[in-house]
Amino acid sequence: MPASDPALAGAAAVALTGLAEAYRPRPVTPLLPWRDPHRLVKPYIITARGRQWDDQMVEFARTGASRQLDFDDAMGSVGLAVVVLHLSDDGAYLVVHSWTKDYQSRLSRFSGVDVDDLRPVPTGVAPSVWELEVLSHERTAYVKHILSGGVDVDAWLEDALDTRPQPKPDGIPSGT
């Protein structure tokens, strides 16, 4: 796949081609909303191939996210948030995104070797392409159901991204 712009020739074209060839979508699993006092949270899990999750991992993520969301509340959160636990090839990532006053949001990221080892990432490190897929969906859902939809919190909670593979109707019982 040659680059169509000379600025993206040579090493840049090779790098882009390598990224494109290695990219694979990852399943996004929505969890049941977390209903905390004065806060509603839509949690998600993204898993790389071969990664599994369990309730204990979700509890670690919830504990870490809750500490960040308490801080966000003090900074002007409106009580709606999204949390993404990403079990990647190279570790675990936690994205905490809360909506605030004046059409703004707060975004915090944590990473670690595993979910019980999450630490804040350096300033400037942005979400991955898989995490951004969830955040993009959630931005659209927030505008649709909260800002433009008469503050329909139930519709916002129901509007969850789910990209898990679905069984084929004519497939074998395992879904493949």
Side-chain angles (χ1 to χ4, degrees), residues 121-125:
V121 300
T123 301
V125 176

Side-chain angles (χ1 to χ4, degrees), residues 6-152:
L8 295 178
V14 170
L16 287 173
T17 300
L19 284 172
E21 289 174 354
Y23 172 78
R24 299 293 179 269
R26 293 182 177 172
V28 175
T29 304
L31 302 179
L32 291 174
W34 300 338
R35 296 174 185 271
D36 298 329
H38 312 294
R39 181 186 309 138
L40 294 172
V41 180
K42 290 170 68 174
Y44 290 92
I45 297 180
I46 301 171
T47 49
R49 181 174 296 200
R51 293 296 306 260
Q52 301 292 321
W53 58 274
D54 59 34
D55 291 341
Q56 184 177 18
M57 294 170 135
V58 173
E59 194 53 41
F60 275 121
R62 185 173 184 164
T63 299
S66 293
R67 283 194 295 270
Q68 180 61 47
L69 290 169
D70 288 343
F71 179 77
D72 291 356
D73 289 347
M75 299 301 291
S77 171
V78 297
L80 301 178
V82 175
V83 170
V84 180
L85 174 59
H86 183 183
L87 303 175
S88 187
D89 296 325
D90 62 351
Y93 298 89
L94 182 67
V95 178
V96 181
H97 182 256
S98 60
W99 296 104
T100 64
K101 299 173 184 168
D102 300 324
Y103 310 104
Q104 301 295 314
S105 64
R106 294 187 53 81
L107 181 74
S108 301
R109 291 190 74 227
F110 305 84
S111 68
V113 174
D114 211 339
V115 179
D116 60 354
D117 182 43
L118 295 172
R119 304 278 186 258
V121 300
T123 301
V125 176
S128 70
V129 294
W130 299 282
E131 296 155 3
L132 285 170
E133 179 182 19
V134 175
L135 296 178
S136 175
H137 172 88
E138 286 302 323
R139 183 259 176 214
T140 300
Y142 183 74
V143 169
K144 179 179 178 182
H145 301 296
I146 303 302
L147 300 180
S148 302
V151 188
D152 190 343

